[in-house]
Amino acid sequence: MEALVTLCKRRGFIFQSSEIYGGYAGFFDYGPLGTELKRNLKDAWWKAMVHEREDIVGLDSSIIMHPEIWKASGHVDGFSDPMVDCRESKRRFRADQLFYAVVTVEGQSIGYLCLEESGDMQAEADKQAQEMKRKQGVQGTLDPVVLREYTEADPGEQALIPSPATGTPGSLTPPRQFNLMFETKVGPLADASATAYLRPETAQGIFQNFKNVVDTGRVKIPFGIAQIGKAFRNEITPRNFIFRSREFEQLEIEYFIDPDEATWPRVYREWIDTCKDWLTRIGIPEDMIGEDVHPPEKLSHYSKGTTDLTFTFPFGTQELWGIACRGDFDLSQHQHHSGKSMEFFDEARKEKYIPHVVEPSLGVDRTLLAVLTAAYCEDEIPNDKGKPEKRTLLKFHPRIAPFKAAVFPLLKNKPELVECARDVYHRLQKRWNVAWDASGAIGRRYRRQDEVGTPFGLTVDFDTVEKDQCVTIRDRDTTQQQRVPLAEVEAFLAEKIDG
Amino acid sequence: MEALVTLCKRRGFIFQSSEIYGGYAGFFDYGPLGTELKRNLKDAWWKAMVHEREDIVGLDSSIIMHPEIWKASGHVDGFSDPMVDCRESKRRFRADQLFYAVVTVEGQSIGYLCLEESGDMQAEADKQAQEMKRKQGVQGTLDPVVLREYTEADPGEQALIPSPATGTPGSLTPPRQFNLMFETKVGPLADASATAYLRPETAQGIFQNFKNVVDTGRVKIPFGIAQIGKAFRNEITPRNFIFRSREFEQLEIEYFIDPDEATWPRVYREWIDTCKDWLTRIGIPEDMIGEDVHPPEKLSHYSKGTTDLTFTFPFGTQELWGIACRGDFDLSQHQHHSGKSMEFFDEARKEKYIPHVVEPSLGVDRTLLAVLTAAYCEDEIPNDKGKPEKRTLLKFHPRIAPFKAAVFPLLKNKPELVECARDVYHRLQKRWNVAWDASGAIGRRYRRQDEVGTPFGLTVDFDTVEKDQCVTIRDRDTTQQQRVPLAEVEAFLAEKIDG
């Protein structure tokens, strides 16, 4: 992970926001290469989900919407995390990330410990328990330390549990709800009527436009509305690089279906498969993708089923893509709150109903992190002198690589090579983002492109201009080279990129 | 304008945000076709400014940044409009949009009037003056009514000027500054230290990353950083549809140059020409574009020159693209506030300096409105029976049209036609967004596509499958038809779209 974060910074993929001002927790900026990678990722999704399908249309709704929408959706009342304050240090913790244990020696309590969730939390707790026993000079055998979530502590225990910030027992408050939506004020007045929210998800922008799309878009159920856009959550503990940030981008689809009980399980399964398939199309290996089916007791009252596609990140297996069957909850809520009918007249079934919905919801930033994780590798290849040399490469699928190809004249001081290479470069540029590099040994130029994931290196040499009108195309992953006629270069790349 | 707004709603280009909740002033949503048009516009810009140039790289920075950035940029102190409150009605006005006059009859004052800025403001003022004279029963000739901005009134006059909301003299406050940035709170604490802003421009995201890009991007001055992204301004009076909204999208470039006094005037002119040229490339006629050079006395102290490219909207000629020479103001400010050096070592000149900058700044939404305005037209063409019929069409340049082409089987109940047409459709879909329409008379299908600006209609008929392996391609603007071999359709479209 650390190597990846370093590479991301060094080669201009991802920067911490506001770095010159000491950074700003939970916000990230995409540098020149990260911006291209993100664009390609979003374009690949849009192409697969909107352009290549006839049952999905696009939408681009505003980030700030009428505040009533968030009442209808349940976010004003329910979109919150339980928080715990330390009265002494004024530090704040997420209650579900705070763990405590009663430390016992042969069944006798000798005190409480409390710590923040982390990978080596158990080891840390064991160490603290040992230390407590030593300090108190207690004899006997320490019992196993069993960590429990702070939310499970009763008031009596809360008074005994020390704050992880100060160690003082009883300085933590009971858990309280903290809404994760960012608030702002719209319009000239700063009173309560002006309160608005930055959307915490793009989905509601789709639901509030359902009728508009039905009325103007010649759509028939089943159909979907897709949207790409920023969303914001005031996470208490943003972490794991771009995995959990406060500002992020979503790729969401609301797929509207009839309310027949036989329909949703079929569509649900289809969407799980479609999403998995798309992940492999952008180069994520199937064996890094898992399915996490939410057990019935963890579902919201309106939900019929939710499956997360997971990915094995360096910091653990985490949710990447949630596919949720939300019934008619959202549209019904908006019908109720707005007083406007959300019913759809189904020509085929000759009936009116509020459609049900299956929602595949994906985060751009965590997908990008998955792509980077899957693409990052190190190997050894011979250098210009034939000696094995370590190399770092990003094995991006050509579909999403920031540069599709790099064009090199073998020597930069030979005008006939440069001119021919410029021709190739300009021709390819009409269609793709292509790099140009004329300086340094050819091996070094290859290596520079390997590190940013450019799948093909095209070298124009003397044979190109004097003999065969072919360029050498070098494959990033295998380092194999082949001669391809100039006239066929575009078709060669198109096949690799879109094929 | 009204016809355009209606078409935008009816065909799913642009909706008012939160319509089912009565709308939300200053916010808009893009429907299925508007989303495609906006994507194409942004892609065309990115391709021309980033991919086809070697001196510009992309960036995608966060909307919420460290608040210190907005102190450095001057926005916390200076990004404001003068506002006037009516104490009685609690209504609020922009002071520079409020006009007053002293009404005189043969040199004698008979009272004050005050109204909000509008196109027929002078006529309205004359009417009110007549009315005042009549009511007071004053004899003599009314002098010409001279309107002045409310900001020019002295306290004595302010006490006499009536509120446009209530008519009561003296109920308006003196002008006060109102900051246009949307505020929010980041992190768990809601105190002043948590205050952050939604960016009112994308430019500062570029400046704060200047060093990151220089350190990682292999760039040499002159070079530019381009960014597309949302920005937010709490406009007091959002108006003119998507022209002035509270949430909008920008296309900005900061083009860094050496501080030589001879450099900026040349680069400035180049950018004005480049921007004009790009507008014509997306189909905006040159004669609708103007140049508005800001006079020296209207420039900020650090600015060396600003030119607005203007466009003739239905509501008047307005700024579309600002090209501003900002000197080294922004980077110097960030160097001062962050304590980090913003100097660049120029290899060619063998010297270190803080680069100067030329900033071409364009709004996506107003460009889209310009594109729609330029494309909208009505004409008459013969219908299926040869009788002239009115038609509405959007003459989008193929480069930015939501659909590049529509594919029609002549008859939907002839499997051989449908199959062949599906083949064409799927082939084109791999590269572009293409529409499919199999229902209704062919003339009506053409008309439906005309209205959404699809430049080419491709019809598969019996000749296609039985005789010549050609399709009829019908041109939206001329309605001319030509036969094109199936194998050449892709090249035909590519030439029109990218050529």
Side-chain angles (χ1 to χ4, degrees):
Chain A
M1 183 72 180
E2 209 178 303
L4 186 62
V5 173
T6 308
L7 177 65
C8 282
K9 168 75 199 283
R10 181 161 48 85
R11 293 309 306 265
F13 281 93
I14 303 167
F15 308 128
Q16 197 186 10
S17 170
S18 314
E19 208 173 83
I20 57 172
Y21 291 98
Y24 204 49
F27 298 92
F28 293 89
D29 296 340
Y30 289 85
L33 290 172
T35 302
E36 297 296 338
L37 183 62
K38 194 160 109 164
R39 282 175 62 83
N40 293 342
L41 201 73
K42 292 192 283 182
D43 283 352
W45 186 85
W46 194 262
K47 194 159 184 279
M49 301 300 167
V50 183
H51 290 181
E52 289 183 5
R53 295 179 67 127
E54 280 159 87
D55 59 346
I56 299 187
V57 297
L59 184 85
D60 185 2
S61 70
S62 61
I63 289 171
I64 298 178
M65 300 184 263
H66 198 294
E68 194 65 26
I69 286 169
W70 306 110
K71 286 188 191 141
S73 70
H75 284 81
V76 168
D77 290 333
F79 191 62
S80 50
D81 275 344
M83 299 287 305
V84 172
D85 285 315
C86 168
R87 295 189 186 90
E88 258 185 330
S89 68
K90 307 293 173 207
R91 273 199 58 194
R92 185 166 276 186
F93 307 93
R94 256 179 71 169
D96 57 357
Q97 291 175 1
L98 215 50
F99 287 80
Y100 78 100
V102 49
V103 180
T104 57
V105 174
E106 294 173 5
Q108 292 291 316
S109 164
I110 60 166
Y112 281 76
L113 60 80
C114 182
L115 25 79
E116 283 183 89
E117 188 175 15
S118 72
D120 53 359
M121 180 167 68
Q122 186 65 50
E124 176 61 24
D126 292 343
K127 212 179 86 189
Q128 285 191 17
Q130 284 289 359
E131 184 68 11
M132 193 184 291
K133 173 169 172 272
R134 194 187 57 76
K135 272 199 180 158
Q136 299 187 12
V138 182
Q139 297 302 313
T141 313
L142 203 60
D143 299 320
V145 179
V146 183
L147 288 166
R148 287 156 63 198
E149 225 179 72
Y150 182 78
T151 49
E152 295 170 30
D154 61 39
E157 282 186 307
Q158 283 169 9
L160 301 170
I161 295 171
S163 158
T166 63
T168 312
S171 76
L172 294 177
T173 64
R176 287 183 293 213
Q177 292 303 315
F178 171 80
N179 198 298
L180 296 182
M181 288 195 292
F182 284 105
E183 262 186 50
T184 191
K185 303 279 185 192
V186 171
L189 304 172
D191 62 11
S193 74
T195 297
Y197 306 94
L198 305 194
R199 65 179 176 200
E201 59 171 39
T202 57
Q204 298 304 323
I206 296 177
F207 291 121
Q208 60 113 329
N209 276 298
F210 172 74
K211 273 308 235 187
N212 273 334
V213 173
V214 167
D215 294 345
T216 66
R218 303 182 82 223
V219 289
K220 276 198 290 245
I221 281 196
F223 79 93
I225 303 177
Q227 170 158 251
I228 300 179
K230 287 271 176 102
F232 299 79
R233 294 178 188 178
N234 196 2
E235 297 282 353
I236 309 314
T237 45
R239 55 181 174 169
N240 291 331
F241 198 35
I242 56 171
F243 181 80
R244 189 181 302 281
S245 53
R246 287 172 168 154
E247 175 175 336
F248 54 101
E249 206 160 357
Q250 288 189 307
L251 303 158
E252 283 198 313
I253 294 170
E254 301 300 331
Y255 196 80
F256 299 99
I257 55 176
D258 67 62
D260 198 299
E261 269 307 309
T263 304
W264 74 263
R266 181 178 47 77
V267 175
Y268 180 34
R269 188 65 238 174
E270 279 168 10
W271 271 109
I272 295 169
D273 295 338
T274 300
C275 296
K276 262 190 166 168
D277 178 58
W278 184 76
L279 289 175
T280 63
R281 278 178 64 188
I282 59 162
I284 294 184
E286 220 176 324
D287 61 10
M288 296 180 91
I289 307 168
E291 276 186 38
D292 176 16
V293 182
H294 291 210
E297 67 273 18
K298 275 205 150 184
L299 297 175
S300 331
H301 65 94
Y302 52 81
S303 178
K304 292 166 187 274
T306 296
T307 296
D308 289 340
L309 294 185
T310 60
F311 178 81
T312 313
F313 289 99
F315 46 82
T317 296
Q318 295 275 356
E319 178 196 345
L320 191 58
W321 205 330
I323 296 103
C325 301
R326 299 178 58 86
D328 63 359
F329 176 74
D330 302 275
L331 287 181
S332 296
Q333 285 291 107
H334 285 298
Q335 173 165 306
H336 176 68
H337 279 256
S338 71
K340 303 283 191 307
S341 166
M342 294 295 141
E343 284 182 323
F344 177 87
F345 181 73
D346 189 324
E347 300 272 1
R349 296 164 61 106
K350 302 280 174 227
E351 57 167 335
K352 247 184 175 177
Y353 53 79
I354 296 183
H356 286 222
V357 78
V358 176
E359 174 190 273
S361 172
L362 179 69
V364 176
D365 311 82
R366 49 179 73 175
T367 307
L368 200 132
L369 187 56
V371 161
L372 282 164
T373 304
Y376 184 89
C377 72
E378 293 169 3
D379 65 4
E380 269 194 357
I381 56 164
N383 68 7
D384 289 340
K385 293 180 191 87
K387 274 179 66 180
E389 205 174 66
K390 208 189 105 175
R391 99 178 151 145
T392 301
L393 73 164
L394 289 168
K395 288 188 175 184
F396 294 134
H397 189 288
R399 184 169 281 128
I400 55 164
F403 292 115
K404 304 308 178 196
V407 181
F408 313 124
L410 184 64
L411 298 169
K412 75 167 164 185
N413 53 1
K414 298 288 170 191
E416 66 275 30
L417 298 187
V418 173
E419 197 188 319
C420 174
R422 294 298 288 176
D423 269 3
V424 175
Y425 175 62
H426 285 131
R427 201 147 43 84
L428 298 180
Q429 226 180 17
K430 282 201 167 276
R431 191 154 168 192
W432 298 294
N433 193 33
V434 179
W436 170 263
D437 192 352
S439 59
I442 198 77
R444 261 190 60 205
R445 283 186 260 171
Y446 283 147
R447 230 66 53 83
R448 270 203 292 260
Q449 295 297 330
D450 290 342
E451 208 183 40
V452 298
T454 308
F456 305 102
L458 277 58
T459 306
V460 169
D461 55 23
F462 291 104
D463 278 358
T464 313
V465 291
E466 287 165 9
K467 277 198 213 154
D468 61 2
Q469 293 284 307
C470 287
V471 289
T472 299
I473 299 190
R474 184 258 198 187
D475 183 281
R476 174 197 61 204
D477 303 342
T478 63
T479 74
Q480 297 289 318
Q481 309 193 353
Q482 59 177 304
R483 298 289 284 180
V484 173
L486 283 173
E488 290 168 26
V489 168
E490 191 176 338
F492 175 92
L493 290 178
E495 167 61 27
K496 301 288 185 180
I497 295 165
D498 305 315
Chain B
M1 183 71 179
E2 209 177 305
L4 186 62
V5 173
T6 309
L7 177 66
C8 281
K9 167 76 199 281
R10 180 162 48 84
R11 294 307 308 264
F13 281 93
I14 303 168
F15 308 127
Q16 196 186 10
S17 171
S18 314
E19 209 173 83
I20 57 171
Y21 291 99
Y24 204 49
F27 297 92
F28 293 90
D29 295 340
Y30 289 84
L33 290 172
T35 302
E36 297 296 338
L37 183 62
K38 194 159 108 164
R39 282 175 62 82
N40 293 342
L41 201 74
K42 292 192 285 182
D43 283 352
W45 186 84
W46 195 261
K47 193 160 185 280
M49 302 300 166
V50 182
H51 290 182
E52 289 183 6
R53 296 179 66 126
E54 279 159 88
D55 59 345
I56 299 188
V57 296
L59 185 84
D60 185 2
S61 69
S62 61
I63 288 171
I64 298 177
M65 299 184 263
H66 198 295
E68 194 65 26
I69 286 170
W70 306 109
K71 287 191 191 138
S73 70
H75 284 81
V76 168
D77 290 332
F79 191 62
S80 50
D81 275 344
M83 300 287 306
V84 172
D85 285 316
C86 167
R87 294 188 187 92
E88 258 184 329
S89 68
K90 306 294 173 207
R91 273 198 58 192
R92 183 166 277 187
F93 307 93
R94 257 179 70 167
D96 57 357
Q97 291 173 1
L98 215 50
F99 287 80
Y100 78 101
V102 49
V103 180
T104 58
V105 174
E106 294 173 3
Q108 292 292 315
S109 165
I110 61 166
Y112 281 77
L113 60 79
C114 182
L115 25 79
E116 281 182 89
E117 187 174 17
S118 72
D120 53 0
M121 179 167 68
Q122 185 66 49
E124 176 62 23
D126 292 343
K127 213 178 87 189
Q128 286 190 17
Q130 283 291 358
E131 184 67 11
M132 193 184 289
K133 172 167 173 276
R134 195 187 56 75
K135 273 200 179 155
Q136 298 186 13
V138 182
Q139 299 300 313
T141 312
L142 202 60
D143 299 320
V145 180
V146 182
L147 289 166
R148 287 156 62 198
E149 224 179 73
Y150 183 78
T151 49
E152 295 170 29
D154 60 38
E157 283 184 308
Q158 283 168 9
L160 301 170
I161 295 170
S163 158
T166 63
T168 312
S171 75
L172 294 177
T173 64
R176 288 183 292 214
Q177 292 303 315
F178 171 80
N179 198 298
L180 297 181
M181 286 196 292
F182 285 104
E183 262 186 50
T184 191
K185 302 280 184 191
V186 171
L189 304 172
D191 63 9
S193 73
T195 298
Y197 307 94
L198 305 195
R199 65 179 176 200
E201 58 170 41
T202 56
Q204 297 304 323
I206 296 177
F207 291 121
Q208 60 114 330
N209 276 299
F210 171 74
K211 273 307 237 186
N212 273 335
V213 173
V214 166
D215 292 346
T216 66
R218 304 181 83 222
V219 289
K220 276 196 291 246
I221 282 199
F223 78 94
I225 303 177
Q227 170 158 251
I228 299 179
K230 286 272 176 100
F232 299 79
R233 294 178 188 179
N234 196 3
E235 298 283 353
I236 308 316
T237 46
R239 56 182 173 168
N240 292 331
F241 197 36
I242 55 171
F243 181 80
R244 188 182 301 283
S245 53
R246 286 172 168 154
E247 176 175 335
F248 54 100
E249 207 159 354
Q250 288 189 308
L251 303 157
E252 284 198 312
I253 294 170
E254 301 300 332
Y255 196 79
F256 299 98
I257 56 176
D258 67 61
D260 198 299
E261 271 306 309
T263 304
W264 73 263
R266 179 178 48 78
V267 175
Y268 180 35
R269 187 65 239 174
E270 280 169 9
W271 270 110
I272 295 170
D273 295 339
T274 300
C275 295
K276 261 190 166 167
D277 178 59
W278 184 78
L279 289 174
T280 62
R281 276 179 65 186
I282 58 162
I284 294 184
E286 219 175 324
D287 61 11
M288 296 180 91
I289 307 168
E291 274 186 41
D292 176 16
V293 182
H294 292 210
E297 66 273 18
K298 275 204 150 187
L299 297 175
S300 330
H301 66 93
Y302 53 80
S303 177
K304 291 166 188 273
T306 294
T307 295
D308 289 341
L309 294 185
T310 61
F311 178 81
T312 313
F313 289 99
F315 46 82
T317 296
Q318 295 275 356
E319 177 198 345
L320 191 60
W321 206 328
I323 296 103
C325 300
R326 301 178 58 86
D328 64 358
F329 176 74
D330 302 276
L331 287 181
S332 296
Q333 285 292 106
H334 285 298
Q335 173 165 308
H336 175 68
H337 279 256
S338 71
K340 302 284 190 307
S341 166
M342 294 293 142
E343 285 181 322
F344 177 86
F345 180 74
D346 189 324
E347 299 271 0
R349 296 163 60 106
K350 302 281 173 226
E351 56 167 333
K352 247 184 173 178
Y353 54 77
I354 296 183
H356 286 223
V357 78
V358 176
E359 174 191 272
S361 172
L362 179 68
V364 176
D365 312 83
R366 49 179 72 175
T367 307
L368 200 131
L369 187 56
V371 161
L372 281 164
T373 304
Y376 184 89
C377 71
E378 293 169 3
D379 64 5
E380 267 194 358
I381 57 163
N383 68 8
D384 288 342
K385 293 179 190 88
K387 275 180 64 178
E389 206 174 64
K390 207 190 104 175
R391 91 175 159 150
T392 302
L393 73 164
L394 289 168
K395 288 189 175 182
F396 293 134
H397 190 288
R399 186 170 280 129
I400 57 163
F403 291 115
K404 303 307 178 196
V407 181
F408 314 124
L410 184 64
L411 298 168
K412 76 167 163 185
N413 53 2
K414 298 288 171 191
E416 66 275 30
L417 297 187
V418 173
E419 198 188 320
C420 175
R422 294 297 288 176
D423 269 3
V424 174
Y425 175 62
H426 285 132
R427 202 147 43 83
L428 297 180
Q429 227 180 17
K430 282 200 167 277
R431 191 153 168 193
W432 299 294
N433 192 34
V434 180
W436 169 262
D437 192 353
S439 58
I442 198 78
R444 261 191 59 207
R445 282 185 263 171
Y446 283 148
R447 231 66 53 82
R448 270 202 292 260
Q449 295 298 330
D450 289 344
E451 208 183 40
V452 299
T454 308
F456 304 103
L458 277 58
T459 306
V460 169
D461 56 24
F462 291 105
D463 278 359
T464 313
V465 292
E466 288 165 10
K467 279 196 210 155
D468 62 1
Q469 294 284 308
C470 286
V471 290
T472 299
I473 298 190
R474 183 258 198 187
D475 183 281
R476 175 196 60 204
D477 303 342
T478 63
T479 76
Q480 297 289 317
Q481 308 194 353
Q482 59 175 302
R483 298 289 285 180
V484 173
L486 283 172
E488 290 168 25
V489 167
E490 190 176 339
F492 175 92
L493 290 178
E495 167 61 28
K496 301 287 184 180
I497 295 164
D498 305 315

